[in-house]
Amino acid sequence: MSTIKAIGRLGAVIVLIAVFFALAGAVGLREPWAALLFLFQWSMMEEMKLDRLPRSVLGAATGVAIASLPAWLTPSIGAGAGLAVMLMAVLVAVFLLIRGMAGVVINPATMAFLTVATIPHITQAARPVDLFLGIVAGVIYFGGLAAIPAALAKRRAGVSEGAAP
């Protein structure tokens, strides 16, 4: 890719992310970074392929869910037991990742979100629901943006197929 083209793409990325943050602020999204982590994971590990979007979404949600187990379980079974359940879930997830099993839900997205969502500052300051909403916002915004060129290409292909040879 030429330097000029790369600068143009960089400019487009800056504008799209700025628009995302403006929209996130307008709707009161508390954890917009989760959307950017989703974008990073999906773009770098799955090359923003639309057919890989469900895998990234389910993996991200699974990672946040595992990380959220102590928050969800502490009121009913206590902090120590909630943490123990989470650690057992982490062991199961890592085992499944190593074995290559359950790849739709246990994948690099799972591990990325599990790692970040267990950062002490995040576990203390962020509510699990806000993390999930951040992921949903990223899927809707960035997934929607990625779907536009695919839909246009599909439409153009349909138009050219209908044209006379």
Side-chain angles (χ1 to χ4, degrees):
M1 176 181 302
S2 72
T3 302
I4 298 298
K5 194 170 187 177
I7 290 171
R9 282 198 183 176
L10 176 61
V13 167
I14 290 168
V15 168
L16 292 174
I17 290 177
V19 168
F20 171 76
F21 273 108
L23 292 171
V27 299
L29 190 64
R30 293 181 183 196
E31 305 295 340
W33 62 264
L36 294 181
L37 180 59
F38 174 79
L39 173 63
F40 173 75
Q41 183 282 320
W42 183 45
S43 65
M44 298 303 292
M45 297 176 190
E46 304 293 351
E47 300 174 350
M48 287 185 82
K49 293 181 179 173
L50 289 175
D51 64 331
R52 306 290 281 185
L53 183 62
R55 172 185 163 89
S56 288
V57 173
L58 291 172
T62 302
V64 170
I66 292 170
S68 299
L69 286 172
W72 293 334
L73 297 175
T74 294
S76 58
I77 63 173
L83 183 60
V85 170
M86 183 200 78
L87 292 174
M88 290 301 298
V90 169
L91 289 175
V92 170
V94 171
F95 175 79
L96 292 172
L97 184 70
I98 290 169
R99 290 287 319 263
M101 300 169 66
V104 172
V105 292
I106 306 296
N107 54 50
T110 309
M111 297 306 150
F113 275 86
L114 176 59
T115 300
V116 173
T118 55
I119 294 171
H121 178 74
I122 292 173
T123 61
Q124 293 167 5
R127 297 179 318 159
V129 68
D130 292 328
L131 300 178
F132 285 110
L133 288 173
I135 294 168
V136 168
V139 171
I140 292 170
Y141 183 78
F142 297 114
L145 287 174
I148 292 169
L152 291 175
K154 193 176 201 178
R155 183 177 174 153
R156 274 190 223 120
V159 169
S160 18
E161 285 177 12

